[in-house]
Amino acid sequence: MAKAIVPAVSHTGSTGAEDKVYEYGYYDKISTGKDGVEVNTADIHTAIRSAGAVSNPNILINTDFRNIINQRGYGGGTVGVGTYTFDRWRNNAGSQKHEIIDGALRATCTAAGDLISIAQKIDVPQRFAGKQLTVSCMARLSATAGYLHLYDGVTYAPTTIPHDGVWHRIVETKNIGDSTTMQLELRCGAFNGTVRVGDFIEVKDVKIEEGPVATPWIAPDPAEELLRCQRYCVVFGGAHSTNYPDLAHGYVIVNNASTATAQFTIPRLNLRAKPACKTEGDFHLYAGADFNANLILDATKTLVFTAIPSHTIRCQLNAPPGFLPALGRPITIRSANVNPGKFIFDAEI
C-alpha cells in the first residue's frame, strides 16, 4: 500500500466525529471526515514530495561537499583514470584534479584531451532492478558541453548539462534494468567537443533516490556518513599529532639469530569485501614504555598485511635480528609525528 504523511485524517468509512491523526499511515485511501471524500494516499504522497516537504534517502554517499569525507588525505593533485580522491568519488576518465570550492565538488582538466568524467559507483545494483531511480543535482560547466548520466550497464541515455558557466538544476529519472554494474557519471567533452586544460565540471546537492520524483537534498549526519564510507575504505593514522596515535597492537612471535617477527591484528572492520592493504608515511615501534626511534619501514623491515577476509586484518612486521624485543613481548605500531604513517584498507568497487 501507499505511505503518506497526513496531518489529520481518518480511515475510510469513519465519521467526522471519529477523526484521528494517522502519521505515516499505511492506507490505500483516506477520507477527510465529514465530507467523506476519498483520496488515494499515493497521490498525496507524490504531491507532498513534489512540494519539498520530505526527502527520500540518498543512495549516494559523501555528497555534503561542505563537510567532505577525505580519509585518504587527497590534497588536490592530478590523478589518473580509476583513482579515488575524496571518499567514494573517482576519476572516471582523462587527467584531472578534484577540489572543493564553495560547497561544490569540481573536477578540472589538467591535460588536454577528449573528456572529464567524475563518477560514483553504486554497490549491489541488482537491488534496484525493475525500479525507477531519480538523479538530481546542481551542476555547471565552464565551456565544453557535457551531461549527467545514471548508467545501469544496460541503456545509455544521458541528460545534457548546458555549458554556459551557470548553475543548472538537472533531473533524470530512469527505469533500471537487471545489471551487475551501475554508476552516476558527470562528464564533459567526448562526443560534445575537446576539453582544454582548465575546463571543469562542478556539482553540488547531488542525489539518487527511488521513485519518479526528485525530493530535496538534505545534508547527511557526518558521523553516519563516515560509517557509510568505511564500508569501502578505512584509514588508520595519518594525522599530525604529538600523541603518536596507536595503529596496531600485537606481540613478538619470532626472535632468533636470523630474523625477528611481530604479529598484529586489526579486528571489527565492516568492509564490503576483502580489501587491498597498503601503508603511507612513517611509523615508530613501542614495546611497553620503550620507544624505538627507528622507522619501521626501510630497506630491512617490512609490513605484510593479510585480510581475513573483510572484517579482520592481520599485519606482520618482519625485521632483522635485534630490532624487536624478547619473544612474547607486547608491541605497538604508532604513527610518527613527522610524515605520520597510516594504514589504508581499500575495498572500493
Side-chain angles (χ1 to χ4, degrees):
M1 297 184 209
K3 181 178 181 181
I5 304 174
V6 184
V9 299
S10 63
H11 189 250
T12 302
S14 65
T15 66
E18 297 171 330
D19 283 353
K20 299 178 182 178
V21 174
Y22 290 92
E23 293 184 344
Y24 297 90
Y26 286 88
Y27 301 113
D28 290 320
K29 295 182 178 181
I30 58 174
S31 76
T32 59
K34 295 182 176 62
D35 58 11
V37 176
E38 293 184 345
V39 181
N40 288 328
T41 56
D43 296 336
I44 293 179
H45 187 52
T46 298
I48 291 173
R49 290 189 182 282
S50 298
V54 292
S55 180
N56 282 326
N58 196 347
I59 295 167
L60 293 173
I61 301 174
N62 201 20
T63 61
D64 185 359
F65 302 134
R66 301 162 188 83
N67 297 285
I68 193 74
I69 295 171
N70 184 18
Q71 291 189 88
R72 297 176 181 85
Y74 170 67
T78 296
V79 295
V81 179
T83 302
Y84 281 86
T85 55
F86 305 110
D87 279 50
R88 304 273 27 248
W89 295 99
R90 71 197 295 264
N91 174 3
N92 210 46
S95 177
Q96 59 187 265
K97 67 177 181 178
H98 297 168
E99 55 191 329
I100 305 300
I101 298 179
D102 296 329
L105 174 60
R106 176 183 289 188
T108 303
C109 176
T110 58
D114 60 354
L115 56 91
I116 303 171
S117 175
I118 185 170
Q120 182 171 141
K121 291 188 172 183
I122 308 303
D123 197 10
V124 195
Q126 297 93 329
R127 59 192 159 130
F128 302 115
K131 297 182 178 181
Q132 279 189 321
L133 295 182
T134 296
V135 185
S136 59
C137 69
M138 297 296 295
R140 68 173 178 169
L141 302 176
S142 60
T144 308
Y147 57 83
L148 171 146
H149 184 42
L150 177 60
Y151 181 57
D152 64 358
V154 179
T155 57
Y156 190 80
T159 299
T160 299
I161 304 172
H163 58 288
D164 53 9
V166 177
W167 285 104
H168 294 273
R169 171 77 167 168
I170 308 297
V171 179
E172 172 185 302
T173 297
K174 182 168 184 141
N175 296 315
I176 303 301
D178 188 4
S179 173
T180 58
T181 181
M182 184 190 299
Q183 67 179 12
L184 172 71
E185 180 184 25
L186 291 105
R187 172 180 291 199
C188 65
F191 309 109
N192 301 307
T194 299
V195 176
R196 304 161 299 182
V197 173
D199 284 349
F200 67 83
I201 185 167
E202 203 166 5
V203 64
K204 61 184 178 181
D205 301 346
V206 57
K207 182 174 184 177
I208 298 178
E209 58 195 295
E210 289 193 43
V213 178
T215 61
W217 176 89
I218 294 178
D221 178 87
E224 293 180 359
E225 203 73 345
L226 175 60
L227 288 176
R228 294 179 75 195
C229 288
Q230 288 179 335
R231 173 172 163 78
Y232 306 90
C233 178
V234 175
V235 177
F236 288 81
H240 288 272
S241 172
T242 56
N243 295 323
Y244 302 99
D246 293 356
L247 302 184
H249 299 276
Y251 57 95
V252 179
I253 60 172
V254 176
N255 197 345
N256 55 41
S258 60
T259 188
T261 302
Q263 183 169 284
F264 308 83
T265 301
I266 302 173
R268 297 184 299 279
L269 301 175
N270 191 35
L271 293 162
R272 57 171 287 275
K274 184 177 179 178
C277 308
K278 68 176 183 178
T279 63
E280 292 180 2
D282 298 327
F283 309 88
H284 292 307
L285 195 68
Y286 279 76
D290 300 328
F291 169 66
N292 190 326
N294 294 316
L295 300 181
I296 289 177
L297 298 184
D298 62 21
T300 64
K301 312 172 191 71
T302 60
L303 286 173
V304 179
F305 294 95
T306 304
I308 318 171
S310 61
H311 303 296
T312 300
I313 307 293
R314 182 169 294 156
C315 174
Q316 183 168 299
L317 168 62
N318 300 315
F323 181 76
L324 297 178
L327 189 67
R329 284 285 302 276
I331 197 167
T332 299
I333 297 176
R334 291 183 177 174
S335 180
N337 190 40
V338 178
N339 190 27
K342 57 185 174 182
F343 297 164
I344 302 172
F345 307 128
D346 199 327
E348 270 292 0
I349 302 171

